[in-house]
Amino acid sequence: MDKQSQRGWRLPGAAALRHRDYRLFWSGYVTEVAGQQMLWVAQGWLIYELSGSAVLLGAAGLARAIPGTILSFVGGALADKLDQRRLLIAVQVMQMALLAGLGTLTITGGVEVWHLLVIVSASAAAQSFENPARQAIFPKLVPRADLMDAVALNATIHPGTRFAGPFLGGLLMAQVRLISGEPLLGAATLFYLTAFGYVLNACLLYFIQLAAVAAERKKTSMFADMGEGVKFITRNPIFLGLILVTYCTQFFGWSFQSLFPVFVKDIFQGGEFELGLMGSALGAGSLLGATTASNLSSVRRRGLLVIGGFMTPAALIILFSAAPYFTLALGLLFFIGCTQAIFNVTAQSTLQYLVPNDYRGRVMGIWGMTHTAVQPMGQLQMGVLAGLLSAPIAVAFGGVAMLAFAVLVVIPNRRIRRLTLEMDQHGEEEIKTQLRELAGPRH
């Protein structure tokens, strides 16, 4: 029996949070993401309130995807070259300015849908630099022995804040509307709160003590570094396979969240509060799934976790699309979040554990395109299908596409099926040797 099994069920973070700099990093990130979860409620609701168009909800995804696609490679290369702490602080300041401006437009009644789309696009551009830097910096804040614990704890941030954030955001919007009688004032309040979260995160990042980037890394060409990152991934099938499966999950599956306002308003006849409940149900399940995945880190057959965590939410998404009652939809969302989180933590922790530090920013930057480019493009196709057909058909199509991808691509992939990973501490040379073995002979 391994040591983890002897310890029994545990919450992630006990080891990682012992380290001061990681505590600062994690606390700031929790504050930022909590604001983002409320921002998601406000933006989606405001776009649909102003336009009544499911297609424009999808257009918000396109506005995110364009800069996310173009700049993620650049952001990954810069994350391996620059002071990641300063890069993150600069991004927080930019995000704060954007949201403060959006809040002012909204509170004065001058906001239009195109304002939202422009600010969503600018925010996505900033996030393209933030995600790789964030993924590259946190392994430097903990010893290698505590890396898996830090990955698992990071993976609880989004689901944990998704549990409370959308609920509180929807509740606050509803209460502000009720008290003030102004339909847009609630959204403006959430924009200002999110801007404050970015300020607080920047302050905490400022106090992190991080060694300077090696001078020789700065002398290389950024474009050459970008090419090396892509080449590194394509030559290691495990990295390529996990990233492509994650892309499929986000494009066809997780993007269904963009249609929540349509389900709430047109199918379940609800409002801001019900919209928040849907996000919270998804978040509660995701938090349980992330905690479960952290306790499964000693499971050697990680390929089974990847396949199961990919196919199960696909089937549940199809069931959600046909749910006739709001309470049933909430229950399905809980289990969708749980199973999806198991997949996400397993895939991300495997990547983080195997990738060498010199490539971490670029590899995780390309992986991070799941959020800055792939998921927004998925939101666009969801919005277009919902506009042409209906929201339930668009969501059901996504679940069917995921199952088809699993049957035709994932399950036949021997490397994913047989993916194993010993969670013992390895030296850098042993990891590189393992990567070469995983890549196999080149033809």
Side-chain angles (χ1 to χ4, degrees), residues 241-284:
L242 289 176
I243 289 173
L244 289 179
V245 174
T246 304
Y247 282 3
C248 180
T249 299
Q250 297 295 324
F251 186 85
F252 289 112
W254 213 235
S255 57
F256 82 128
Q257 298 173 79
S258 64
L259 296 181
F260 281 6
V262 182
F263 275 85
V264 167
K265 198 167 186 178
D266 297 344
I267 297 176
F268 300 124
Q269 307 301 312
E272 298 100 319
F273 181 71
E274 286 76 14
L275 179 61
L277 281 179
M278 290 179 71
S280 294
L282 198 64

Coordinates of all heavy atoms in Angstrom, one line a residue, residues 241-284:
G241 N -1.3 14.4 -27.4 CA -2.6 13.7 -27.2 C -3.4 14.3 -26.1 O -4.6 14.6 -26.3
L242 N -2.8 14.6 -24.9 CA -3.6 15.2 -23.8 C -4.1 16.6 -24.2 O -5.2 17.0 -23.8 CB -2.7 15.3 -22.6 CG -2.4 14.0 -21.9 CD1 -1.4 14.2 -20.8 CD2 -3.6 13.3 -21.4
I243 N -3.3 17.4 -24.9 CA -3.7 18.7 -25.3 C -4.9 18.7 -26.3 O -5.9 19.4 -26.1 CB -2.5 19.5 -25.9 CG1 -1.5 19.9 -24.7 CG2 -3.0 20.8 -26.5 CD1 -0.2 20.5 -25.2
L244 N -4.8 17.7 -27.2 CA -5.9 17.7 -28.2 C -7.2 17.2 -27.6 O -8.3 17.7 -27.9 CB -5.5 16.7 -29.4 CG -4.4 17.2 -30.3 CD1 -4.1 16.2 -31.4 CD2 -4.9 18.5 -31.0
V245 N -7.1 16.2 -26.6 CA -8.3 15.8 -26.0 C -8.9 16.9 -25.1 O -10.1 17.1 -25.1 CB -8.0 14.5 -25.1 CG1 -9.2 14.2 -24.2 CG2 -7.6 13.4 -25.9
T246 N -8.0 17.7 -24.5 CA -8.5 18.8 -23.7 C -9.2 19.9 -24.6 O -10.2 20.4 -24.3 CB -7.4 19.5 -22.9 OG1 -6.7 18.5 -22.1 CG2 -7.9 20.6 -22.0
Y247 N -8.6 20.1 -25.8 CA -9.2 21.0 -26.7 C -10.6 20.6 -27.1 O -11.6 21.4 -27.2 CB -8.4 21.1 -28.0 CG -7.1 22.0 -27.9 CD1 -6.8 22.6 -26.7 CD2 -6.3 22.2 -29.0 CE1 -5.6 23.4 -26.6 CE2 -5.2 23.0 -28.9 CZ -4.8 23.6 -27.8 OH -3.7 24.4 -27.7
C248 N -10.8 19.3 -27.4 CA -12.1 18.7 -27.8 C -13.1 18.9 -26.6 O -14.2 19.3 -26.9 CB -12.0 17.3 -28.1 SG -13.5 16.5 -28.6
T249 N -12.7 18.7 -25.4 CA -13.6 18.8 -24.3 C -14.1 20.3 -24.2 O -15.3 20.5 -24.0 CB -12.8 18.5 -23.0 OG1 -12.4 17.1 -23.0 CG2 -13.7 18.7 -21.8
Q250 N -13.2 21.2 -24.3 CA -13.5 22.6 -24.2 C -14.4 23.1 -25.4 O -15.3 23.9 -25.2 CB -12.3 23.5 -24.1 CG -11.5 23.2 -22.8 CD -12.2 23.5 -21.6 OE1 -12.9 24.5 -21.5 NE2 -12.0 22.8 -20.5
F251 N -14.1 22.7 -26.6 CA -14.8 23.2 -27.8 C -16.2 22.6 -27.8 O -17.1 23.4 -28.1 CB -14.0 22.7 -29.0 CG -14.6 23.3 -30.3 CD1 -14.2 24.6 -30.7 CD2 -15.5 22.6 -31.1 CE1 -14.8 25.1 -31.9 CE2 -16.0 23.1 -32.2 CZ -15.7 24.4 -32.6
F252 N -16.4 21.3 -27.6 CA -17.7 20.7 -27.8 C -18.5 20.6 -26.5 O -19.7 20.6 -26.5 CB -17.6 19.3 -28.4 CG -17.2 19.3 -29.9 CD1 -15.9 18.9 -30.2 CD2 -18.0 19.8 -30.8 CE1 -15.5 18.9 -31.6 CE2 -17.6 19.9 -32.2 CZ -16.4 19.4 -32.5
G253 N -17.8 20.6 -25.4 CA -18.5 20.3 -24.1 C -18.6 21.5 -23.2 O -19.7 22.1 -23.0
W254 N -17.4 22.0 -22.7 CA -17.5 23.0 -21.6 C -18.0 24.3 -22.2 O -18.5 25.2 -21.4 CB -16.1 23.2 -21.1 CG -16.0 23.6 -19.6 CD1 -15.4 24.6 -19.1 CD2 -16.6 22.9 -18.5 NE1 -15.5 24.7 -17.7 CE2 -16.2 23.6 -17.4 CE3 -17.3 21.7 -18.4 CZ2 -16.6 23.2 -16.1 CZ3 -17.7 21.3 -17.1 CH2 -17.4 22.0 -16.0
S255 N -18.0 24.5 -23.5 CA -18.5 25.8 -24.0 C -20.0 25.9 -23.9 O -20.6 27.0 -24.1 CB -18.1 25.9 -25.5 OG -18.6 24.8 -26.2
F256 N -20.7 24.8 -23.5 CA -22.2 24.9 -23.3 C -22.6 25.9 -22.3 O -23.7 26.3 -22.2 CB -22.7 23.5 -23.0 CG -22.7 23.1 -21.6 CD1 -23.8 22.6 -21.0 CD2 -21.5 23.1 -20.9 CE1 -23.8 22.2 -19.6 CE2 -21.4 22.7 -19.6 CZ -22.6 22.2 -18.9
Q257 N -21.7 26.3 -21.4 CA -22.0 27.3 -20.3 C -22.4 28.6 -20.9 O -23.2 29.4 -20.3 CB -20.8 27.5 -19.5 CG -20.3 26.3 -18.7 CD -19.0 26.6 -18.0 OE1 -19.0 27.3 -16.9 NE2 -17.9 26.2 -18.6
S258 N -22.0 28.9 -22.2 CA -22.3 30.2 -22.8 C -23.8 30.3 -23.0 O -24.4 31.4 -23.2 CB -21.5 30.4 -24.1 OG -21.9 29.5 -25.0
L259 N -24.5 29.2 -23.1 CA -25.9 29.2 -23.4 C -26.8 29.1 -22.1 O -28.0 29.0 -22.2 CB -26.3 28.0 -24.3 CG -25.7 28.1 -25.7 CD1 -26.1 26.9 -26.5 CD2 -26.0 29.4 -26.4
F260 N -26.2 29.2 -21.0 CA -26.9 29.1 -19.7 C -28.0 30.3 -19.7 O -29.1 30.0 -19.2 CB -26.0 29.2 -18.5 CG -25.3 27.9 -18.1 CD1 -25.5 26.8 -18.9 CD2 -24.6 27.8 -17.0 CE1 -24.9 25.6 -18.6 CE2 -24.0 26.6 -16.6 CZ -24.1 25.5 -17.5
P261 N -27.7 31.5 -20.1 CA -28.7 32.6 -20.1 C -29.9 32.2 -20.9 O -31.0 32.5 -20.5 CB -28.0 33.8 -20.6 CG -26.5 33.6 -20.3 CD -26.3 32.1 -20.5
V262 N -29.7 31.5 -22.0 CA -30.8 31.1 -22.9 C -31.7 30.0 -22.2 O -32.9 30.1 -22.1 CB -30.3 30.5 -24.2 CG1 -31.5 30.2 -25.1 CG2 -29.4 31.6 -24.9
F263 N -31.0 29.0 -21.5 CA -31.8 28.0 -20.8 C -32.6 28.6 -19.7 O -33.7 28.3 -19.5 CB -30.8 27.0 -20.3 CG -30.4 25.9 -21.3 CD1 -29.4 26.1 -22.2 CD2 -31.1 24.7 -21.3 CE1 -29.1 25.1 -23.1 CE2 -30.8 23.7 -22.2 CZ -29.8 23.9 -23.1
V264 N -31.9 29.5 -18.9 CA -32.6 30.1 -17.8 C -33.8 31.0 -18.2 O -34.9 30.8 -17.7 CB -31.6 31.0 -17.0 CG1 -32.3 31.9 -16.0 CG2 -30.6 30.1 -16.2
K265 N -33.6 31.8 -19.2 CA -34.6 32.8 -19.5 C -35.7 32.2 -20.4 O -36.9 32.5 -20.2 CB -34.0 34.0 -20.2 CG -34.9 35.2 -20.3 CD -34.1 36.4 -20.7 CE -34.9 37.7 -20.6 NZ -34.1 38.9 -21.0
D266 N -35.4 31.4 -21.4 CA -36.3 30.9 -22.3 C -36.9 29.5 -22.0 O -38.0 29.2 -22.5 CB -35.7 30.9 -23.7 CG -35.3 32.3 -24.2 OD1 -35.8 33.2 -23.6 OD2 -34.5 32.4 -25.2
I267 N -36.2 28.7 -21.3 CA -36.6 27.3 -21.1 C -37.1 27.1 -19.7 O -38.2 26.6 -19.4 CB -35.5 26.3 -21.4 CG1 -35.1 26.4 -22.9 CG2 -35.9 24.9 -21.0 CD1 -34.0 25.5 -23.3
F268 N -36.3 27.6 -18.7 CA -36.8 27.4 -17.3 C -37.5 28.7 -16.7 O -37.9 28.7 -15.5 CB -35.5 27.1 -16.4 CG -34.8 25.8 -16.8 CD1 -33.5 25.8 -17.2 CD2 -35.5 24.7 -16.9 CE1 -32.8 24.7 -17.6 CE2 -34.9 23.5 -17.3 CZ -33.5 23.5 -17.6
Q269 N -37.6 29.7 -17.5 CA -38.4 30.9 -17.1 C -37.8 31.5 -15.8 O -38.6 31.9 -14.9 CB -39.9 30.6 -17.0 CG -40.5 29.9 -18.2 CD -40.4 30.8 -19.5 OE1 -40.7 31.9 -19.4 NE2 -39.9 30.1 -20.5
G270 N -36.5 31.6 -15.7 CA -35.9 32.2 -14.5 C -35.2 33.5 -14.8 O -35.4 34.1 -15.8
G271 N -34.4 33.9 -13.8 CA -33.7 35.2 -13.9 C -32.3 35.1 -13.4 O -31.6 34.0 -13.5
E272 N -31.7 36.2 -12.9 CA -30.3 36.3 -12.5 C -30.0 35.2 -11.5 O -28.9 34.6 -11.5 CB -29.9 37.7 -12.0 CG -30.1 38.8 -13.1 CD -31.4 39.5 -12.9 OE1 -32.4 38.9 -12.6 OE2 -31.4 40.8 -13.0
F273 N -30.9 35.1 -10.5 CA -30.7 34.1 -9.4 C -30.5 32.7 -9.9 O -29.6 32.0 -9.5 CB -31.8 34.3 -8.4 CG -31.6 33.3 -7.2 CD1 -30.6 33.6 -6.2 CD2 -32.4 32.2 -7.0 CE1 -30.5 32.8 -5.1 CE2 -32.3 31.4 -5.9 CZ -31.3 31.7 -5.0
E274 N -31.4 32.3 -10.8 CA -31.3 30.9 -11.3 C -30.1 30.7 -12.2 O -29.5 29.6 -12.2 CB -32.6 30.6 -12.2 CG -33.9 30.4 -11.3 CD -34.5 31.7 -10.8 OE1 -34.0 32.8 -11.3 OE2 -35.3 31.6 -9.9
L275 N -29.7 31.8 -12.9 CA -28.4 31.7 -13.6 C -27.2 31.5 -12.7 O -26.4 30.6 -13.0 CB -28.2 33.0 -14.4 CG -26.9 33.1 -15.3 CD1 -26.9 32.0 -16.3 CD2 -26.8 34.4 -15.9
G276 N -27.2 32.2 -11.6 CA -26.2 31.9 -10.6 C -26.2 30.5 -10.0 O -25.1 29.9 -9.8
L277 N -27.4 30.0 -9.8 CA -27.5 28.6 -9.3 C -26.9 27.6 -10.2 O -26.3 26.6 -9.8 CB -29.0 28.3 -9.0 CG -29.6 28.8 -7.7 CD1 -31.0 28.4 -7.6 CD2 -28.8 28.4 -6.5
M278 N -27.1 27.8 -11.5 CA -26.6 26.9 -12.5 C -25.1 26.9 -12.5 O -24.4 25.8 -12.5 CB -27.1 27.2 -13.9 CG -28.6 26.9 -14.1 SD -29.2 27.4 -15.8 CE -28.4 26.1 -16.8
G279 N -24.4 28.0 -12.4 CA -23.0 28.1 -12.3 C -22.5 27.5 -11.0 O -21.5 26.8 -11.0
S280 N -23.2 27.7 -9.9 CA -22.8 27.2 -8.6 C -22.9 25.6 -8.6 O -22.1 25.0 -8.0 CB -23.7 27.8 -7.5 OG -23.4 29.2 -7.4
A281 N -24.0 25.1 -9.2 CA -24.1 23.6 -9.2 C -22.9 23.0 -10.0 O -22.3 22.0 -9.6 CB -25.4 23.2 -9.9
L282 N -22.5 23.6 -11.1 CA -21.4 23.2 -11.9 C -20.1 23.3 -11.0 O -19.3 22.4 -11.0 CB -21.3 24.0 -13.2 CG -20.4 23.4 -14.3 CD1 -21.0 22.2 -14.9 CD2 -20.3 24.5 -15.4
G283 N -20.0 24.4 -10.3 CA -18.8 24.6 -9.5 C -18.7 23.6 -8.3 O -17.6 23.2 -8.0
A284 N -19.8 23.3 -7.7 CA -19.8 22.4 -6.5 C -19.4 21.0 -7.0 O -18.5 20.4 -6.3 CB -21.2 22.3 -5.9

